[in-house]
Structure formats: structure tokens, C-alpha cells
Amino acid sequence: MSHTLAGPAHSELLVKKSRFIGRVQPVADRAAAQKVVADLWAEHPTATHVCWALMAGGHSAAVDDGEPSGTAGRPMLDVLRHQDLEGVLATVVRYYGGVNLGAGGLVRAYTDTVAQALLQAEKVPIVQMQALKCAVPYPLEGRVRRELDAAGATLGEVQHGERVTLEFALPAHATLALVARLNDAGSGQVVWMDLTDAEPAD
């Protein structure tokens, strides 16, 4: 199961007089990541580099920001990938200390900075949710609400017309079992609908 982070976490390393300031945090997409990086440049205007890596599906990125190609962004992204993280941005602000670290030294420094920050971070599982909508006779409303509560569903819009129409979302892995229980309880009276459907006519 993929995880994301509950909030930001930080680290700082000093390697041969170069200062590496790391941060990992949850972000939704590349635009949000780029705003964080811009804010870091504003916060550290005299930094030598602000390298970053984003693990967020189709928005993923690895940016060396002037470091030799493949020595910063890619190793940082590999750390996120190996920990099965999603929707997470890793940033490292570097202040150059006057001593060249070489390609191997840079890879280790950026990798270690991100890894140290992740040790401080709280990881939370990503639960895939599925949205559903159904219409039931009034006598079944109470039973449906109890089943939704037991399944950990989040109830959305409820409409009372000819029937009761309920929209809800629940963890995808629990969907099949819930649908089966409601169909059984309703003896064929539960009508499943697309989320865009109006209430079905009798």
C-alpha cells in the first residue's frame, strides 16, 4: 500500500563544509511543488542550489538545479520511490562550503538528507475511495445508514423524494461487500445509480 506524509519533516547535514537543509512534505501536484521551491528560494536567497524531487503519479519530477546531472534530483526521487511514497515532495537547499564533493559524494549527501528527514516524518496509508449512489424505499433508509456507518463510509447528499437517494464514499476494498449486503437487505429494492443520475422513477 502506498503512503503519504501527515505533515512536513526536516533534516540538516554538514558535509565537508557544505550545508544541506532537507524537507519532506505532502503536496498534491507539480504546481504546488513549484510554489514550495519558489518559497524556499525566497527564504534562502543566497543558497547555491535548491534541488527537489516529487513523487506524485503523472506529476513526478527530479530537478538537479545546476548540480551535475543525476547527482541530486534522481537520487532524492529514488528515496521516495523505495519507501513507496505518493504525493510527497522532497527538497534540499544547499549552501556550498568550498570543497567539491564529487558525483558520489553529492549523491550520498542528497540521499542522506532526504532519508534523515523521512525518519522524522509520520507516514499515513493512502486509502483509495470509491463514490456510489443508490435509491431505496423509505423503510430501508435506517438499515442503509447503519451499513454505511459500519463500512466506514462518508455520507454525502441525501434526497427525500419518491425514494431516499443517498450518495456516499467508502474505501474501495470495502465496496463489493457493502453492495452485496445492501442488495441482500433490500431484496431487489436497492437501485444503484450513476452519480449524475436523477432519482429513478417508480
Side-chain angles (χ1 to χ4, degrees), residues 1-2 86 125-131 169-175:
M1 177 183 289
S2 293
E86 180 66 25
I126 297 173
V127 178
Q128 297 296 329
M129 301 295 284
Q130 183 166 349
L170 75 163
H173 64 82
T175 301

mmCIF file of all heavy atoms in Angstrom, residues 1-2 86 125-131 169-175:
data_model
loop_
_atom_site.group_PDB
_atom_site.id
_atom_site.type_symbol
_atom_site.label_atom_id
_atom_site.label_comp_id
_atom_site.label_asym_id
_atom_site.label_seq_id
_atom_site.Cartn_x
_atom_site.Cartn_y
_atom_site.Cartn_z
ATOM 1 N N MET A 1 0.843 -1.194 0.000
ATOM 2 C CA MET A 1 0.000 0.000 0.000
ATOM 3 C C MET A 1 0.881 1.248 0.000
ATOM 4 O O MET A 1 1.844 1.325 0.759
ATOM 5 C CB MET A 1 -0.898 -0.014 1.244
ATOM 6 C CG MET A 1 -1.764 1.230 1.381
ATOM 7 S SD MET A 1 -2.746 1.250 2.903
ATOM 8 C CE MET A 1 -3.933 -0.032 2.531
ATOM 9 N N SER A 2 0.533 2.221 -0.831
ATOM 10 C CA SER A 2 1.271 3.480 -0.871
ATOM 11 C C SER A 2 0.960 4.317 0.367
ATOM 12 O O SER A 2 -0.107 4.196 0.970
ATOM 13 C CB SER A 2 0.911 4.268 -2.125
ATOM 14 O OG SER A 2 1.377 3.608 -3.271
ATOM 15 N N GLU A 86 3.749 8.499 -2.059
ATOM 16 C CA GLU A 86 2.988 9.120 -3.139
ATOM 17 C C GLU A 86 2.472 10.464 -2.636
ATOM 18 O O GLU A 86 2.087 10.597 -1.471
ATOM 19 C CB GLU A 86 1.815 8.211 -3.546
ATOM 20 C CG GLU A 86 0.944 8.751 -4.666
ATOM 21 C CD GLU A 86 1.676 8.858 -6.002
ATOM 22 O OE1 GLU A 86 2.662 8.125 -6.231
ATOM 23 O OE2 GLU A 86 1.250 9.683 -6.826
ATOM 24 N N PRO A 125 -1.164 5.731 5.465
ATOM 25 C CA PRO A 125 -1.553 4.989 4.258
ATOM 26 C C PRO A 125 -2.528 5.792 3.402
ATOM 27 O O PRO A 125 -3.348 6.555 3.912
ATOM 28 C CB PRO A 125 -2.213 3.717 4.806
ATOM 29 C CG PRO A 125 -2.612 4.052 6.203
ATOM 30 C CD PRO A 125 -1.654 5.094 6.693
ATOM 31 N N ILE A 126 -2.406 5.604 2.094
ATOM 32 C CA ILE A 126 -3.353 6.227 1.156
ATOM 33 C C ILE A 126 -4.471 5.234 0.892
ATOM 34 O O ILE A 126 -4.231 4.130 0.387
ATOM 35 C CB ILE A 126 -2.658 6.601 -0.165
ATOM 36 C CG1 ILE A 126 -1.567 7.643 0.093
ATOM 37 C CG2 ILE A 126 -3.676 7.116 -1.186
ATOM 38 C CD1 ILE A 126 -0.721 7.947 -1.127
ATOM 39 N N VAL A 127 -5.682 5.607 1.256
ATOM 40 C CA VAL A 127 -6.838 4.735 1.066
ATOM 41 C C VAL A 127 -7.603 5.208 -0.174
ATOM 42 O O VAL A 127 -8.053 6.358 -0.222
ATOM 43 C CB VAL A 127 -7.768 4.750 2.300
ATOM 44 C CG1 VAL A 127 -8.985 3.868 2.067
ATOM 45 C CG2 VAL A 127 -7.009 4.299 3.540
ATOM 46 N N GLN A 128 -7.705 4.330 -1.159
ATOM 47 C CA GLN A 128 -8.465 4.672 -2.368
ATOM 48 C C GLN A 128 -9.955 4.650 -2.047
ATOM 49 O O GLN A 128 -10.469 3.661 -1.526
ATOM 50 C CB GLN A 128 -8.165 3.674 -3.488
ATOM 51 C CG GLN A 128 -6.710 3.668 -3.937
ATOM 52 C CD GLN A 128 -6.282 4.996 -4.555
ATOM 53 O OE1 GLN A 128 -7.090 5.693 -5.166
ATOM 54 N NE2 GLN A 128 -5.021 5.337 -4.385
ATOM 55 N N MET A 129 -10.636 5.747 -2.348
ATOM 56 C CA MET A 129 -12.074 5.846 -2.057
ATOM 57 C C MET A 129 -12.886 5.659 -3.331
ATOM 58 O O MET A 129 -12.434 5.992 -4.429
ATOM 59 C CB MET A 129 -12.394 7.204 -1.438
ATOM 60 C CG MET A 129 -11.648 7.500 -0.148
ATOM 61 S SD MET A 129 -12.084 6.410 1.223
ATOM 62 C CE MET A 129 -13.699 7.096 1.673
ATOM 63 N N GLN A 130 -14.078 5.121 -3.180
ATOM 64 C CA GLN A 130 -14.995 4.962 -4.306
ATOM 65 C C GLN A 130 -16.319 5.617 -3.956
ATOM 66 O O GLN A 130 -16.846 5.440 -2.851
ATOM 67 C CB GLN A 130 -15.222 3.479 -4.617
ATOM 68 C CG GLN A 130 -16.126 3.270 -5.839
ATOM 69 C CD GLN A 130 -16.072 1.842 -6.359
ATOM 70 O OE1 GLN A 130 -15.224 1.058 -5.949
ATOM 71 N NE2 GLN A 130 -16.973 1.508 -7.250
ATOM 72 N N ALA A 131 -16.862 6.402 -4.895
ATOM 73 C CA ALA A 131 -18.138 7.088 -4.691
ATOM 74 C C ALA A 131 -19.270 6.267 -5.289
ATOM 75 O O ALA A 131 -19.144 5.721 -6.392
ATOM 76 C CB ALA A 131 -18.090 8.478 -5.322
ATOM 77 N N ALA A 169 -19.209 7.789 -0.059
ATOM 78 C CA ALA A 169 -17.901 7.310 -0.498
ATOM 79 C C ALA A 169 -17.350 6.398 0.586
ATOM 80 O O ALA A 169 -17.566 6.632 1.777
ATOM 81 C CB ALA A 169 -16.947 8.478 -0.735
ATOM 82 N N LEU A 170 -16.656 5.351 0.160
ATOM 83 C CA LEU A 170 -16.080 4.423 1.124
ATOM 84 C C LEU A 170 -14.796 3.838 0.554
ATOM 85 O O LEU A 170 -14.560 3.926 -0.659
ATOM 86 C CB LEU A 170 -17.064 3.311 1.485
ATOM 87 C CG LEU A 170 -17.310 2.189 0.486
ATOM 88 C CD1 LEU A 170 -17.962 1.005 1.188
ATOM 89 C CD2 LEU A 170 -18.206 2.651 -0.645
ATOM 90 N N PRO A 171 -13.953 3.249 1.415
ATOM 91 C CA PRO A 171 -12.739 2.623 0.901
ATOM 92 C C PRO A 171 -13.056 1.598 -0.176
ATOM 93 O O PRO A 171 -13.967 0.780 -0.013
ATOM 94 C CB PRO A 171 -12.145 1.962 2.151
ATOM 95 C CG PRO A 171 -12.653 2.789 3.290
ATOM 96 C CD PRO A 171 -14.036 3.207 2.882
ATOM 97 N N ALA A 172 -12.324 1.667 -1.293
ATOM 98 C CA ALA A 172 -12.641 0.831 -2.454
ATOM 99 C C ALA A 172 -12.661 -0.650 -2.113
ATOM 100 O O ALA A 172 -13.507 -1.402 -2.629
ATOM 101 C CB ALA A 172 -11.637 1.106 -3.574
ATOM 102 N N HIS A 173 -11.768 -1.085 -1.204
ATOM 103 C CA HIS A 173 -11.709 -2.517 -0.889
ATOM 104 C C HIS A 173 -12.966 -3.015 -0.172
ATOM 105 O O HIS A 173 -13.225 -4.211 -0.125
ATOM 106 C CB HIS A 173 -10.468 -2.835 -0.041
ATOM 107 C CG HIS A 173 -10.484 -2.175 1.315
ATOM 108 N ND1 HIS A 173 -11.161 -2.694 2.389
ATOM 109 C CD2 HIS A 173 -9.918 -1.030 1.757
ATOM 110 C CE1 HIS A 173 -11.002 -1.908 3.440
ATOM 111 N NE2 HIS A 173 -10.258 -0.886 3.082
ATOM 112 N N ALA A 174 -13.772 -2.090 0.397
ATOM 113 C CA ALA A 174 -14.981 -2.484 1.117
ATOM 114 C C ALA A 174 -16.237 -2.399 0.261
ATOM 115 O O ALA A 174 -17.327 -2.763 0.713
ATOM 116 C CB ALA A 174 -15.147 -1.602 2.359
ATOM 117 N N THR A 175 -16.096 -1.951 -0.992
ATOM 118 C CA THR A 175 -17.267 -1.664 -1.821
ATOM 119 C C THR A 175 -18.095 -2.907 -2.138
ATOM 120 O O THR A 175 -19.320 -2.924 -1.951
ATOM 121 C CB THR A 175 -16.830 -0.985 -3.137
ATOM 122 O OG1 THR A 175 -16.132 0.214 -2.828
ATOM 123 C CG2 THR A 175 -18.035 -0.644 -4.002
#
